[in-house]
Amino acid sequence: WTDRNGKGLTQAATGQIVEKLMNQNLLVRSSYSSVAANYAVEDLAVQDSIRQDWFDKLRSAIQNQSSGRSYFYSYSQGRYARNVRVAFYGGQVSEFQSLVKSTRQRDKVQLLDPFSRDIFDRLDPILQEMYLLDTVPQVIINPAGGDDILAVFDEVAEAQLTPSNELAGCWLDLGVARGDFECLHKLDERTGRKLAEVEGCAALLHGDFERAERCLAEALPSTSQKSKRKSRIAAAHLPVLLYLLLLFKRGSAEALARARSLISTATKGGTNKYAAAMEAITASIAFRQSPSSPAPFAIQLRELCKSPLATLLVGYFHRWLLTDDDATLRVSNLAPIADAYRAAGLAWLAAEAAG
């Protein structure tokens, strides 16, 4: 380490700097008595390096530091996160795509966190779209601070005359979450009115549950309709959650079996971003098929309240399955969740949370 004049720092001076950084929580204890950058500020530091035009120096320093390191170091989570950020912010599209598809590392690397429009605008267009397709569902799951991201997505979506399946899926999610019929109508037009899930979601928002169930069933995979070509969108986005709720409300043995099969299909491969929210549906189906004491079930559902969207679903099932005598066991006070959805412009989810 050197000072501003390029003079090497003594061990004592370096220690004082490290101590100050640790007191500010910018550095944290790591393995073998070493220290590491706080994971929460790593991405912010990279963004600042781009703004101050020394990202290339940072990248070179990282690459030089890692040369000659062991195989274990090369594939540690920390090294993986560095590689992902270098590829993402450096515009290395093929490298980034390869890294995010890798199964070696299971922990997700936070990018553009916090979101910054000026940094987003400097990204490669392919990486911009990849970021939005990954992040928009996360905002629907947990809307805190996501309004800027959704505004950017609106701009990108508006420019797509023939949206890809992936972009159409996120666009549909937003249309539902906002209760935006105009958005759904525009999406329907730009996809050639070929997506039954768009019609199904619009019908559900209108309160036409029979039509919604019929359209969503047409879009989603079914063991009894193997010959029919199914949409790649519905099972990966909000339509599958809406259809599962409709099946649960129908409540027949056939409907519940269909719901269980659909959850298994939709979550296969571990890539469905709404998989965690489906856990409450799975637990509620099991309770409905084999009723037991309500208290353990209510507690089980409370433990699944890992996000605002999951908590909203738990609230549904508490109301539907617990009696008035069990009212104290229910999830209550969803007002903060409603406020968060409202702040992000997700009006329909806000209204559902507000009851």
Side-chain angles (χ1 to χ4, degrees):
W1 290 21
T2 60
D3 60 19
R4 294 178 180 177
N5 299 318
K7 183 179 179 180
L9 295 177
T10 65
Q11 185 174 359
T14 301
Q16 291 175 356
I17 294 173
V18 169
E19 185 177 357
K20 288 180 180 178
L21 292 173
M22 292 187 67
N23 289 338
Q24 295 172 352
N25 207 30
L26 297 176
L27 291 179
V28 294
R29 289 288 180 193
S30 185
S31 57
Y32 302 107
S33 301
S34 63
V35 295
N38 188 330
Y39 185 76
V41 300
E42 284 181 357
D43 199 71
L44 181 60
V46 177
Q47 291 188 43
D48 282 344
S49 77
I50 295 171
R51 291 189 186 95
Q52 298 176 30
D53 201 27
W54 48 270
F55 173 77
D56 288 340
K57 291 182 179 180
L58 177 64
R59 175 168 50 188
S60 297
I62 290 172
Q63 292 170 342
N64 291 338
Q65 183 188 52
S66 63
S67 61
R69 294 293 184 95
S70 67
Y71 174 90
F72 173 78
Y73 175 81
S74 297
Y75 292 102
S76 69
Q77 176 62 27
R79 181 59 187 162
Y80 171 74
R82 291 179 181 182
N83 288 340
V84 167
R85 288 195 173 95
V86 165
F88 181 72
Y89 292 111
Q92 301 169 7
V93 176
S94 297
E95 176 69 11
F96 179 78
Q97 291 172 328
S98 175
L99 285 166
V100 297
K101 289 178 181 177
S102 170
T103 57
R104 285 195 185 99
Q105 306 297 331
R106 307 303 297 180
D107 293 342
K108 182 178 175 63
V109 179
Q110 296 299 321
L111 299 169
L112 268 179
D113 182 24
F115 178 77
S116 174
R117 180 61 190 265
D118 71 307
I119 300 297
F120 177 87
D121 288 341
R122 304 185 198 198
L123 297 175
D124 182 279
I126 294 176
L127 297 178
Q128 288 180 338
E129 182 166 330
M130 288 183 68
Y131 171 81
L132 291 173
L133 296 181
D134 179 69
T135 308
V136 167
Q138 301 302 330
V139 174
I140 291 172
I141 292 168
N142 187 351
D147 48 327
D148 290 342
I149 296 171
L150 300 187
V152 173
F153 179 85
D154 288 339
E155 294 178 19
V156 172
E158 185 62 35
Q160 307 299 312
L161 297 180
T162 54
S164 65
N165 283 337
E166 292 79 7
L167 190 138
C170 288
W171 201 349
L172 178 56
D173 285 351
L174 276 183
V176 171
R178 289 167 168 165
D180 188 341
F181 294 105
E182 182 180 347
C183 168
L184 295 177
H185 178 71
K186 184 178 295 185
L187 175 61
D188 198 29
E189 286 187 333
R190 295 194 186 183
T191 53
R193 303 189 186 281
K194 296 178 180 178
L195 300 178
E197 55 265 53
V198 178
E199 181 183 352
C201 290
L204 185 141
L205 294 178
H206 276 297
D208 188 346
F209 301 128
E210 183 176 337
R211 180 173 160 226
E213 186 174 340
R214 184 174 65 252
C215 292
L216 293 174
E218 181 182 336
L220 287 157
S222 170
T223 54
S224 62
Q225 297 176 311
K226 290 183 179 179
S227 61
K228 292 189 177 182
R229 184 174 180 271
K230 296 298 180 178
S231 166
R232 296 172 56 188
I233 296 173
H237 292 274
L238 283 185
V240 70
L241 279 180
L242 300 181
Y243 184 53
L244 288 169
L245 293 175
L246 292 171
L247 288 174
F248 189 88
K249 288 294 285 181
R250 181 172 289 278
S252 66
E254 182 182 359
L256 295 181
R258 167 85 170 108
R260 294 185 75 130
S261 173
L262 187 54
I263 291 171
S264 176
T265 300
T267 57
K268 187 178 297 183
T271 59
N272 193 310
K273 293 180 174 61
Y274 297 103
M278 293 184 202
E279 293 178 5
I281 303 177
T282 301
S284 298
I285 291 172
F287 178 78
R288 192 162 195 175
Q289 290 179 323
S290 302
S292 57
S293 171
F297 167 68
I299 293 172
Q300 179 187 12
L301 285 192
R302 282 181 176 275
E303 291 174 349
L304 296 176
C305 293
K306 300 173 183 177
S307 70
L309 182 62
T311 304
L312 175 59
L313 293 177
V314 167
Y316 288 150
F317 294 118
H318 274 179
R319 291 199 303 272
W320 294 342
L321 297 174
L322 300 180
T323 66
D324 291 341
D325 293 337
D326 305 316
T328 58
L329 302 174
R330 297 177 185 171
V331 168
S332 59
N333 189 23
L334 296 182
I337 290 176
D339 291 342
Y341 277 125
R342 193 174 297 112
L346 305 179
W348 184 71
L349 289 177
E352 289 295 297

